[in-house]
Amino acid sequence: MSGLSDKVKGAVNKVKGETKDQVGNAKNDPHLQAEGKVDKLKGNLQEGLGKLKDNK
């Protein structure tokens, strides 16, 4: 069950990160873009962790 939780959290972080990245791009705000990229990376890692937990 915890694998699913990590996957959901990861998906939320990826969406949040993509939104920040796009808004930062539109506003020409490199700091916001960087935050978005970090959130997307965090989301990818969380999803990967969820997949690992599911395979155990």
Side-chain angles (χ1 to χ4, degrees):
M1 186 73 164
S2 61
L4 178 62
S5 175
D6 286 323
K7 287 182 194 177
V8 170
K9 287 177 187 176
V12 168
N13 276 319
K14 284 172 59 175
V15 170
K16 182 174 75 171
E18 182 63 30
T19 302
K20 282 184 180 179
D21 192 10
Q22 293 300 320
V23 170
N25 187 37
K27 292 175 121 182
N28 197 24
D29 183 346
H31 179 72
L32 190 57
Q33 279 183 292
E35 280 184 28
K37 290 181 189 321
V38 168
D39 285 342
K40 285 193 284 187
L41 178 60
K42 181 179 174 183
N44 284 331
L45 292 172
Q46 283 176 316
E47 283 186 340
L49 180 62
K51 289 177 184 175
L52 281 173
K53 285 181 179 179
D54 282 346
N55 289 332
K56 284 188 176 182

Tab-separated table of all heavy atoms in Angstrom:
chain	number	residue	atom	x	y	z
A	1	MET	N	0.817	-1.196	0.000
A	1	MET	CA	0.000	0.000	0.000
A	1	MET	C	0.859	1.257	0.000
A	1	MET	O	0.517	2.226	-0.619
A	1	MET	CB	-0.930	-0.026	1.221
A	1	MET	CG	-1.921	1.096	1.229
A	1	MET	SD	-3.189	0.813	-0.007
A	1	MET	CE	-4.400	1.951	0.519
A	2	SER	N	1.995	1.237	0.702
A	2	SER	CA	2.829	2.432	0.752
A	2	SER	C	3.443	2.753	-0.610
A	2	SER	O	3.766	3.895	-0.882
A	2	SER	CB	3.919	2.286	1.806
A	2	SER	OG	4.767	1.201	1.496
A	3	GLY	N	3.591	1.742	-1.455
A	3	GLY	CA	4.099	2.004	-2.795
A	3	GLY	C	3.149	2.887	-3.575
A	3	GLY	O	3.567	3.809	-4.278
A	4	LEU	N	1.863	2.632	-3.424
A	4	LEU	CA	0.858	3.458	-4.092
A	4	LEU	C	0.904	4.886	-3.573
A	4	LEU	O	0.819	5.843	-4.340
A	4	LEU	CB	-0.542	2.866	-3.899
A	4	LEU	CG	-1.688	3.666	-4.510
A	4	LEU	CD1	-1.519	3.763	-6.017
A	4	LEU	CD2	-3.016	3.028	-4.162
A	5	SER	N	1.068	5.035	-2.271
A	5	SER	CA	1.142	6.365	-1.664
A	5	SER	C	2.315	7.161	-2.243
A	5	SER	O	2.175	8.340	-2.569
A	5	SER	CB	1.306	6.224	-0.149
A	5	SER	OG	1.494	7.482	0.459
A	6	ASP	N	3.465	6.508	-2.371
A	6	ASP	CA	4.634	7.185	-2.944
A	6	ASP	C	4.393	7.559	-4.405
A	6	ASP	O	4.812	8.620	-4.853
A	6	ASP	CB	5.874	6.305	-2.825
A	6	ASP	CG	6.411	6.235	-1.408
A	6	ASP	OD1	6.367	7.258	-0.711
A	6	ASP	OD2	6.883	5.154	-1.006
A	7	LYS	N	3.734	6.675	-5.132
A	7	LYS	CA	3.445	6.966	-6.542
A	7	LYS	C	2.527	8.182	-6.674
A	7	LYS	O	2.734	9.034	-7.534
A	7	LYS	CB	2.804	5.764	-7.222
A	7	LYS	CG	3.756	4.629	-7.481
A	7	LYS	CD	3.007	3.518	-8.193
A	7	LYS	CE	3.743	2.230	-8.215
A	7	LYS	NZ	2.972	1.164	-8.856
A	8	VAL	N	1.510	8.258	-5.809
A	8	VAL	CA	0.575	9.386	-5.860
A	8	VAL	C	1.288	10.673	-5.487
A	8	VAL	O	1.144	11.701	-6.170
A	8	VAL	CB	-0.641	9.136	-4.934
A	8	VAL	CG1	-1.484	10.382	-4.796
A	8	VAL	CG2	-1.473	7.977	-5.453
A	9	LYS	N	2.079	10.641	-4.424
A	9	LYS	CA	2.841	11.832	-4.018
A	9	LYS	C	3.792	12.259	-5.139
A	9	LYS	O	3.964	13.444	-5.397
A	9	LYS	CB	3.633	11.550	-2.746
A	9	LYS	CG	2.788	11.461	-1.504
A	9	LYS	CD	3.658	11.115	-0.298
A	9	LYS	CE	2.820	10.859	0.931
A	9	LYS	NZ	3.645	10.424	2.073
A	10	GLY	N	4.399	11.281	-5.773
A	10	GLY	CA	5.309	11.587	-6.874
A	10	GLY	C	4.593	12.249	-8.030
A	10	GLY	O	5.086	13.220	-8.604
A	11	ALA	N	3.424	11.749	-8.366
A	11	ALA	CA	2.653	12.336	-9.466
A	11	ALA	C	2.245	13.771	-9.138
A	11	ALA	O	2.316	14.659	-10.000
A	11	ALA	CB	1.421	11.490	-9.762
A	12	VAL	N	1.853	14.001	-7.888
A	12	VAL	CA	1.470	15.356	-7.470
A	12	VAL	C	2.665	16.295	-7.566
A	12	VAL	O	2.550	17.417	-8.082
A	12	VAL	CB	0.893	15.343	-6.031
A	12	VAL	CG1	0.763	16.750	-5.474
A	12	VAL	CG2	-0.446	14.629	-6.004
A	13	ASN	N	3.823	15.846	-7.112
A	13	ASN	CA	5.015	16.692	-7.183
A	13	ASN	C	5.430	16.963	-8.623
A	13	ASN	O	5.908	18.056	-8.939
A	13	ASN	CB	6.172	16.070	-6.398
A	13	ASN	CG	6.103	16.405	-4.929
A	13	ASN	OD1	5.795	17.519	-4.545
A	13	ASN	ND2	6.365	15.423	-4.097
A	14	LYS	N	5.264	15.980	-9.490
A	14	LYS	CA	5.607	16.195	-10.895
A	14	LYS	C	4.699	17.255	-11.520
A	14	LYS	O	5.164	18.126	-12.260
A	14	LYS	CB	5.525	14.883	-11.671
A	14	LYS	CG	6.708	13.975	-11.407
A	14	LYS	CD	6.553	12.602	-12.005
A	14	LYS	CE	6.360	12.569	-13.486
A	14	LYS	NZ	6.335	11.193	-14.024
A	15	VAL	N	3.397	17.187	-11.219
A	15	VAL	CA	2.457	18.175	-11.763
A	15	VAL	C	2.765	19.552	-11.197
A	15	VAL	O	2.791	20.548	-11.934
A	15	VAL	CB	0.994	17.771	-11.469
A	15	VAL	CG1	0.031	18.896	-11.800
A	15	VAL	CG2	0.631	16.513	-12.247
A	16	LYS	N	3.009	19.611	-9.891
A	16	LYS	CA	3.344	20.885	-9.251
A	16	LYS	C	4.617	21.463	-9.867
A	16	LYS	O	4.697	22.659	-10.166
A	16	LYS	CB	3.522	20.671	-7.748
A	16	LYS	CG	3.837	21.929	-6.969
A	16	LYS	CD	3.852	21.681	-5.469
A	16	LYS	CE	5.099	20.955	-5.046
A	16	LYS	NZ	5.255	20.879	-3.577
A	17	GLY	N	5.598	20.603	-10.071
A	17	GLY	CA	6.865	21.051	-10.649
A	17	GLY	C	6.714	21.534	-12.078
A	17	GLY	O	7.293	22.547	-12.468
A	18	GLU	N	5.931	20.821	-12.865
A	18	GLU	CA	5.705	21.240	-14.262
A	18	GLU	C	5.009	22.593	-14.300
A	18	GLU	O	5.345	23.450	-15.116
A	18	GLU	CB	4.878	20.189	-15.001
A	18	GLU	CG	4.633	20.509	-16.462
A	18	GLU	CD	5.906	20.581	-17.291
A	18	GLU	OE1	6.886	19.881	-16.978
A	18	GLU	OE2	5.917	21.355	-18.272
A	19	THR	N	4.050	22.787	-13.385
A	19	THR	CA	3.342	24.065	-13.331
A	19	THR	C	4.300	25.192	-12.985
A	19	THR	O	4.305	26.241	-13.647
A	19	THR	CB	2.199	23.998	-12.291
A	19	THR	OG1	1.315	22.941	-12.655
A	19	THR	CG2	1.438	25.304	-12.228
A	20	LYS	N	5.117	24.998	-11.954
A	20	LYS	CA	6.089	26.023	-11.569
A	20	LYS	C	7.061	26.303	-12.712
A	20	LYS	O	7.412	27.460	-12.977
A	20	LYS	CB	6.886	25.581	-10.344
A	20	LYS	CG	6.164	25.717	-9.049
A	20	LYS	CD	7.104	25.324	-7.904
A	20	LYS	CE	6.479	25.435	-6.560
A	20	LYS	NZ	7.413	25.034	-5.481
A	21	ASP	N	7.507	25.261	-13.375
A	21	ASP	CA	8.445	25.408	-14.489
A	21	ASP	C	7.829	26.250	-15.604
A	21	ASP	O	8.459	27.182	-16.119
A	21	ASP	CB	8.844	24.027	-14.993
A	21	ASP	CG	10.018	24.052	-15.958
A	21	ASP	OD1	10.666	25.100	-16.110
A	21	ASP	OD2	10.286	23.001	-16.571
A	22	GLN	N	6.588	25.950	-15.957
A	22	GLN	CA	5.923	26.684	-17.041
A	22	GLN	C	5.626	28.126	-16.652
A	22	GLN	O	5.800	29.041	-17.466
A	22	GLN	CB	4.629	25.966	-17.451
A	22	GLN	CG	4.854	24.625	-18.101
A	22	GLN	CD	5.678	24.725	-19.371
A	22	GLN	OE1	5.513	25.635	-20.162
A	22	GLN	NE2	6.590	23.786	-19.551
A	23	VAL	N	5.174	28.351	-15.420
A	23	VAL	CA	4.899	29.720	-14.965
A	23	VAL	C	6.203	30.505	-14.903
A	23	VAL	O	6.263	31.664	-15.320
A	23	VAL	CB	4.174	29.721	-13.600
A	23	VAL	CG1	4.106	31.121	-13.010
A	23	VAL	CG2	2.773	29.140	-13.743
A	24	GLY	N	7.247	29.887	-14.402
A	24	GLY	CA	8.558	30.541	-14.358
A	24	GLY	C	9.054	30.896	-15.746
A	24	GLY	O	9.638	31.961	-15.952
A	25	ASN	N	8.799	30.021	-16.695
A	25	ASN	CA	9.189	30.292	-18.075
A	25	ASN	C	8.390	31.471	-18.632
A	25	ASN	O	8.956	32.356	-19.273
A	25	ASN	CB	8.966	29.042	-18.930
A	25	ASN	CG	9.501	29.187	-20.326
A	25	ASN	OD1	10.545	29.790	-20.534
A	25	ASN	ND2	8.783	28.641	-21.292
A	26	ALA	N	7.084	31.489	-18.375
A	26	ALA	CA	6.228	32.560	-18.887
A	26	ALA	C	6.584	33.904	-18.256
A	26	ALA	O	6.518	34.945	-18.919
A	26	ALA	CB	4.762	32.237	-18.627
A	27	LYS	N	6.962	33.889	-16.978
A	27	LYS	CA	7.285	35.126	-16.266
A	27	LYS	C	8.770	35.480	-16.370
A	27	LYS	O	9.202	36.469	-15.791
A	27	LYS	CB	6.919	34.997	-14.787
A	27	LYS	CG	5.448	34.905	-14.515
A	27	LYS	CD	5.225	34.670	-13.031
A	27	LYS	CE	4.383	35.766	-12.455
A	27	LYS	NZ	4.175	35.617	-11.006
A	28	ASN	N	9.524	34.639	-17.058
A	28	ASN	CA	10.971	34.818	-17.168
A	28	ASN	C	11.601	34.855	-15.775
A	28	ASN	O	12.372	35.746	-15.449
A	28	ASN	CB	11.323	36.072	-17.973
A	28	ASN	CG	12.763	36.054	-18.439
A	28	ASN	OD1	13.377	34.997	-18.562
A	28	ASN	ND2	13.312	37.233	-18.701
A	29	ASP	N	11.234	33.871	-14.951
A	29	ASP	CA	11.701	33.771	-13.574
A	29	ASP	C	12.511	32.477	-13.418
A	29	ASP	O	11.956	31.408	-13.172
A	29	ASP	CB	10.494	33.770	-12.624
A	29	ASP	CG	10.879	33.739	-11.160
A	29	ASP	OD1	12.058	33.457	-10.838
A	29	ASP	OD2	9.996	33.982	-10.321
A	30	PRO	N	13.829	32.578	-13.564
A	30	PRO	CA	14.655	31.367	-13.504
A	30	PRO	C	14.598	30.664	-12.144
A	30	PRO	O	14.728	29.449	-12.066
A	30	PRO	CB	16.066	31.846	-13.804
A	30	PRO	CG	16.018	33.314	-13.908
A	30	PRO	CD	14.605	33.761	-13.869
A	31	HIS	N	14.383	31.411	-11.065
A	31	HIS	CA	14.288	30.801	-9.741
A	31	HIS	C	13.059	29.892	-9.657
A	31	HIS	O	13.148	28.768	-9.143
A	31	HIS	CB	14.229	31.884	-8.657
A	31	HIS	CG	14.110	31.338	-7.272
A	31	HIS	ND1	15.164	30.706	-6.642
A	31	HIS	CD2	13.081	31.322	-6.401
A	31	HIS	CE1	14.764	30.312	-5.444
A	31	HIS	NE2	13.500	30.689	-5.277
A	32	LEU	N	11.929	30.365	-10.146
A	32	LEU	CA	10.707	29.563	-10.136
A	32	LEU	C	10.850	28.342	-11.050
A	32	LEU	O	10.397	27.248	-10.711
A	32	LEU	CB	9.501	30.408	-10.557
A	32	LEU	CG	8.123	29.779	-10.373
A	32	LEU	CD1	7.886	29.374	-8.924
A	32	LEU	CD2	7.033	30.742	-10.829
A	33	GLN	N	11.511	28.530	-12.182
A	33	GLN	CA	11.768	27.404	-13.083
A	33	GLN	C	12.621	26.347	-12.387
A	33	GLN	O	12.356	25.147	-12.493
A	33	GLN	CB	12.480	27.865	-14.347
A	33	GLN	CG	11.563	28.458	-15.383
A	33	GLN	CD	12.344	28.818	-16.632
A	33	GLN	OE1	13.163	29.726	-16.621
A	33	GLN	NE2	12.079	28.094	-17.696
A	34	ALA	N	13.641	26.797	-11.668
A	34	ALA	CA	14.523	25.859	-10.962
A	34	ALA	C	13.749	25.104	-9.885
A	34	ALA	O	13.934	23.892	-9.722
A	34	ALA	CB	15.698	26.613	-10.344
A	35	GLU	N	12.878	25.809	-9.164
A	35	GLU	CA	12.040	25.143	-8.159
A	35	GLU	C	11.187	24.063	-8.825
A	35	GLU	O	11.018	22.971	-8.280
A	35	GLU	CB	11.113	26.142	-7.474
A	35	GLU	CG	11.742	26.965	-6.402
A	35	GLU	CD	10.729	27.867	-5.711
A	35	GLU	OE1	9.529	27.527	-5.668
A	35	GLU	OE2	11.146	28.923	-5.221
A	36	GLY	N	10.649	24.383	-9.981
A	36	GLY	CA	9.825	23.423	-10.705
A	36	GLY	C	10.600	22.194	-11.116
A	36	GLY	O	10.114	21.062	-10.994
A	37	LYS	N	11.808	22.395	-11.573
A	37	LYS	CA	12.639	21.262	-11.979
A	37	LYS	C	12.976	20.375	-10.776
A	37	LYS	O	12.988	19.149	-10.885
A	37	LYS	CB	13.897	21.760	-12.680
A	37	LYS	CG	13.606	22.368	-14.042
A	37	LYS	CD	14.871	22.840	-14.727
A	37	LYS	CE	14.641	23.651	-15.978
A	37	LYS	NZ	13.590	23.261	-16.860
A	38	VAL	N	13.225	20.994	-9.623
A	38	VAL	CA	13.505	20.227	-8.408
A	38	VAL	C	12.267	19.420	-8.004
A	38	VAL	O	12.374	18.244	-7.641
A	38	VAL	CB	13.957	21.164	-7.258
A	38	VAL	CG1	13.978	20.433	-5.919
A	38	VAL	CG2	15.330	21.746	-7.555
A	39	ASP	N	11.093	20.050	-8.074
A	39	ASP	CA	9.856	19.341	-7.729
A	39	ASP	C	9.610	18.168	-8.674
A	39	ASP	O	9.181	17.092	-8.238
A	39	ASP	CB	8.647	20.287	-7.758
A	39	ASP	CG	8.601	21.222	-6.560
A	39	ASP	OD1	9.277	20.939	-5.545
A	39	ASP	OD2	7.886	22.233	-6.632
A	40	LYS	N	9.879	18.369	-9.962
A	40	LYS	CA	9.697	17.267	-10.921
A	40	LYS	C	10.660	16.124	-10.618
A	40	LYS	O	10.277	14.953	-10.667
A	40	LYS	CB	9.896	17.766	-12.359
A	40	LYS	CG	8.733	18.574	-12.886
A	40	LYS	CD	8.790	18.788	-14.377
A	40	LYS	CE	9.796	19.826	-14.770
A	40	LYS	NZ	9.748	20.154	-16.204
A	41	LEU	N	11.897	16.460	-10.283
A	41	LEU	CA	12.879	15.430	-9.942
A	41	LEU	C	12.446	14.679	-8.684
A	41	LEU	O	12.505	13.447	-8.635
A	41	LEU	CB	14.258	16.059	-9.736
A	41	LEU	CG	15.372	15.110	-9.317
A	41	LEU	CD1	15.587	14.023	-10.356
A	41	LEU	CD2	16.656	15.878	-9.084
A	42	LYS	N	11.986	15.430	-7.690
A	42	LYS	CA	11.489	14.803	-6.463
A	42	LYS	C	10.331	13.850	-6.779
A	42	LYS	O	10.266	12.743	-6.252
A	42	LYS	CB	11.032	15.891	-5.496
A	42	LYS	CG	10.519	15.377	-4.186
A	42	LYS	CD	10.109	16.548	-3.291
A	42	LYS	CE	9.449	16.078	-2.019
A	42	LYS	NZ	9.001	17.204	-1.191
A	43	GLY	N	9.441	14.282	-7.663
A	43	GLY	CA	8.319	13.438	-8.058
A	43	GLY	C	8.764	12.169	-8.744
A	43	GLY	O	8.234	11.085	-8.485
A	44	ASN	N	9.731	12.293	-9.625
A	44	ASN	CA	10.257	11.108	-10.316
A	44	ASN	C	10.873	10.126	-9.324
A	44	ASN	O	10.685	8.910	-9.443
A	44	ASN	CB	11.298	11.512	-11.359
A	44	ASN	CG	10.673	12.103	-12.593
A	44	ASN	OD1	9.551	11.775	-12.953
A	44	ASN	ND2	11.392	13.000	-13.256
A	45	LEU	N	11.609	10.655	-8.344
A	45	LEU	CA	12.222	9.791	-7.339
A	45	LEU	C	11.161	9.106	-6.484
A	45	LEU	O	11.281	7.918	-6.168
A	45	LEU	CB	13.183	10.598	-6.465
A	45	LEU	CG	14.438	11.106	-7.151
A	45	LEU	CD1	15.212	12.053	-6.233
A	45	LEU	CD2	15.319	9.955	-7.589
A	46	GLN	N	10.124	9.851	-6.099
A	46	GLN	CA	9.054	9.257	-5.299
A	46	GLN	C	8.325	8.155	-6.065
A	46	GLN	O	8.007	7.106	-5.500
A	46	GLN	CB	8.048	10.321	-4.869
A	46	GLN	CG	8.529	11.183	-3.726
A	46	GLN	CD	7.571	12.293	-3.386
A	46	GLN	OE1	7.050	12.960	-4.276
A	46	GLN	NE2	7.348	12.511	-2.109
A	47	GLU	N	8.061	8.400	-7.331
A	47	GLU	CA	7.402	7.365	-8.135
A	47	GLU	C	8.277	6.124	-8.246
A	47	GLU	O	7.794	4.999	-8.166
A	47	GLU	CB	7.052	7.897	-9.523
A	47	GLU	CG	5.837	8.788	-9.534
A	47	GLU	CD	5.407	9.183	-10.937
A	47	GLU	OE1	6.216	9.109	-11.879
A	47	GLU	OE2	4.241	9.572	-11.065
A	48	GLY	N	9.566	6.334	-8.431
A	48	GLY	CA	10.491	5.205	-8.509
A	48	GLY	C	10.527	4.418	-7.209
A	48	GLY	O	10.546	3.188	-7.214
A	49	LEU	N	10.511	5.130	-6.089
A	49	LEU	CA	10.472	4.473	-4.793
A	49	LEU	C	9.196	3.660	-4.625
A	49	LEU	O	9.214	2.525	-4.135
A	49	LEU	CB	10.587	5.512	-3.670
A	49	LEU	CG	10.573	4.987	-2.235
A	49	LEU	CD1	11.763	4.056	-1.990
A	49	LEU	CD2	10.578	6.139	-1.250
A	50	GLY	N	8.089	4.219	-5.077
A	50	GLY	CA	6.815	3.500	-5.014
A	50	GLY	C	6.844	2.229	-5.836
A	50	GLY	O	6.341	1.184	-5.399
A	51	LYS	N	7.457	2.286	-7.002
A	51	LYS	CA	7.567	1.105	-7.851
A	51	LYS	C	8.446	0.041	-7.184
A	51	LYS	O	8.152	-1.152	-7.255
A	51	LYS	CB	8.111	1.476	-9.226
A	51	LYS	CG	7.125	2.250	-10.067
A	51	LYS	CD	7.712	2.673	-11.390
A	51	LYS	CE	6.729	3.517	-12.168
A	51	LYS	NZ	7.290	4.044	-13.405
A	52	LEU	N	9.531	0.493	-6.543
A	52	LEU	CA	10.399	-0.454	-5.847
A	52	LEU	C	9.658	-1.142	-4.703
A	52	LEU	O	9.791	-2.354	-4.504
A	52	LEU	CB	11.629	0.262	-5.283
A	52	LEU	CG	12.754	0.565	-6.250
A	52	LEU	CD1	13.817	1.423	-5.577
A	52	LEU	CD2	13.361	-0.707	-6.785
A	53	LYS	N	8.879	-0.375	-3.962
A	53	LYS	CA	8.130	-0.952	-2.835
A	53	LYS	C	7.098	-1.952	-3.343
A	53	LYS	O	6.839	-2.960	-2.689
A	53	LYS	CB	7.440	0.145	-2.043
A	53	LYS	CG	8.383	0.949	-1.184
A	53	LYS	CD	7.633	2.005	-0.394
A	53	LYS	CE	8.544	2.810	0.487
A	53	LYS	NZ	7.807	3.849	1.245
A	54	ASP	N	6.495	-1.682	-4.487
A	54	ASP	CA	5.501	-2.596	-5.045
A	54	ASP	C	6.133	-3.913	-5.482
A	54	ASP	O	5.480	-4.958	-5.458
A	54	ASP	CB	4.782	-1.960	-6.239
A	54	ASP	CG	3.725	-0.958	-5.812
A	54	ASP	OD1	3.366	-0.943	-4.616
A	54	ASP	OD2	3.265	-0.194	-6.679
A	55	ASN	N	7.393	-3.871	-5.888
A	55	ASN	CA	8.064	-5.075	-6.384
A	55	ASN	C	8.617	-5.953	-5.275
A	55	ASN	O	9.103	-7.042	-5.538
A	55	ASN	CB	9.196	-4.691	-7.347
A	55	ASN	CG	8.645	-4.152	-8.651
A	55	ASN	OD1	7.542	-4.514	-9.063
A	55	ASN	ND2	9.399	-3.290	-9.296
A	56	LYS	N	8.579	-5.492	-4.041
A	56	LYS	CA	9.114	-6.294	-2.929
A	56	LYS	C	8.130	-7.328	-2.483
A	56	LYS	O	6.992	-7.306	-2.584
A	56	LYS	CB	9.485	-5.392	-1.755
A	56	LYS	CG	10.769	-4.653	-2.017
A	56	LYS	CD	11.209	-3.920	-0.773
A	56	LYS	CE	12.564	-3.270	-1.019
A	56	LYS	NZ	13.066	-2.601	0.136
